[in-house]
Amino acid sequence: MGALRGHAPAGGPGSVLPTLAERVEFLFDLAGRRLAGRCGAEEPSLRRLLERGRKEAAALAGSGPAGLVHGDLHPGNVLDGGSGRGFVAVDPRPCVGDPDFDAADWVLEGVADAAEAVRRAGELAALVPGSSSGRILGWCRSLAPLVAVPRAAAGRDDPATRFLLEWCGGSTGG
């Protein structure tokens, strides 16, 4: 994450890279289409969670620092480069925007309570110069519906899913 922050490409009109706002819109549109395909119009509470997350994520994408964003930086997309080369981020969905976006999947992976999310965001912020634990948590909360809604639609009822639903403004009732 720190290495990505050091590279801030020019964004805006004419750039080959989309903005983070465009990436966020794409992610929430895709989640909405998948939810509609799975549940039809029968899950208005899940749709509301997606829309709330979309609004919060759009607000974050429209503020804050601008830099290179991997766009899909989760543990499965980081490989050991071997031979002392360090880690390599693969399968990017690059865009220009707030680099703290890339920390969300690392914090959200398996998290089941707010204290753990805060702890993880603080640890990441301490490790990555220029990052903000507050913005990381903002991204986590706004993107939580992208993790929680598909799980809930599939009938998952585990502690992590219940926490994420509650954290992003939904109910934990089954």
Side-chain angles (χ1 to χ4, degrees):
M1 282 186 239
L4 287 173
R5 277 187 184 275
H7 304 283
S15 173
V16 296
L17 295 177
T19 65
L20 182 54
E22 292 168 318
R23 175 82 177 137
V24 162
E25 196 62 27
F26 168 79
L27 290 171
F28 280 93
D29 283 349
L30 181 61
R33 287 192 305 273
R34 288 180 175 165
L35 180 63
R38 170 166 272 168
C39 301
E42 300 170 17
E43 294 292 339
S45 63
L46 295 180
R47 289 188 182 290
R48 282 193 298 275
L49 290 180
L50 283 175
E51 285 311 307
R52 181 182 296 162
R54 179 193 306 261
K55 287 178 185 172
E56 290 176 7
L60 283 166
S63 66
L68 181 61
V69 177
H70 180 282
D72 192 25
L73 191 62
H74 57 78
N77 278 347
V78 176
L79 306 175
D80 185 345
S83 301
R85 292 183 9 204
F87 294 105
V88 178
V90 298
D91 197 22
R93 304 293 186 265
C95 57
V96 177
D98 181 359
D100 285 337
F101 173 92
D102 280 335
D105 283 334
W106 291 83
V107 173
L108 293 176
E109 179 67 32
V111 72
D113 64 62
E116 179 68 6
V118 169
R119 185 189 67 74
R120 290 179 182 187
E123 286 180 357
L124 277 173
L127 290 171
V128 182
S131 64
S132 159
S133 62
R135 286 193 67 84
I136 291 171
L137 284 171
W139 280 113
C140 289
R141 184 179 163 101
S142 69
L143 299 175
L146 296 177
V147 177
V149 166
R151 290 178 179 183
R156 282 186 58 178
D157 186 28
D158 56 82
T161 300
R162 287 192 303 272
F163 164 67
L164 291 174
L165 286 170
E166 181 180 290
W167 200 35
C168 64
S171 168
T172 58

